[in-house]
Amino acid sequence: MILINVKFPVKPEFADQWPEIASEFTEATLAEEGNKWFEWSRSVKDPNTYVLIEAFTDEGAGPHVNSPHFKKMQGDFPQYLSATPQIVSQQVDVEDWGPMGELQVD
């Protein structure tokens, strides 16, 4: 699977509205056949930064970046951002989340 983490630096005046701003893109991506998850979190360290954790099947990443909603996002998102998003994208040898070995809850 392909695991992707992206930090989105949102302009302060749009930070509280970001989940709504990104909702159309998020819902369209979640509906993709090759999407495994697509989850936004707000940084505790910097409330103007949102972190996106996403995963796709090996075959799903290409259709995602070539989709109409991805192309629309490329045109829409820059006006809300204070800088270029930073990304880590890596193919990993797992298919889903697994339990954390270092911490167990009974």
Side-chain angles (χ1 to χ4, degrees):
M1 113 180 142
I2 300 171
L3 180 63
I4 305 164
N5 300 327
V6 188
K7 285 186 174 185
F8 285 81
V10 179
K11 290 178 182 175
E13 62 268 29
F14 299 114
D16 289 339
Q17 303 161 335
W18 185 253
E20 182 181 332
I21 292 167
S23 66
E24 182 181 335
F25 177 61
T26 300
E27 292 306 315
T29 301
L30 286 168
E32 292 177 23
E33 185 176 329
N35 179 258
K36 297 182 78 59
W37 60 78
F38 197 83
E39 299 179 17
W40 293 96
S41 296
R42 195 171 192 175
S43 172
V44 175
K45 185 177 178 182
D46 178 1
N48 296 324
T49 297
Y50 281 81
V51 178
L52 176 60
I53 298 176
E54 52 186 307
F56 295 88
T57 61
D58 290 347
E59 301 79 22
H64 171 63
V65 298
N66 291 307
S67 68
H69 55 272
F70 192 91
K71 301 294 185 201
K72 184 176 186 310
M73 176 276 298
Q74 289 177 301
D76 292 347
F77 277 19
Q79 66 185 313
Y80 302 109
L81 303 176
S82 60
T84 299
Q86 298 297 297
I87 188 170
V88 174
S89 179
Q90 189 69 45
Q91 187 163 8
V92 295
D93 193 26
V94 298
E95 292 301 319
D96 208 341
W97 292 92
M100 183 177 176
E102 298 82 7
L103 176 67
Q104 300 293 312
V105 177
D106 297 326

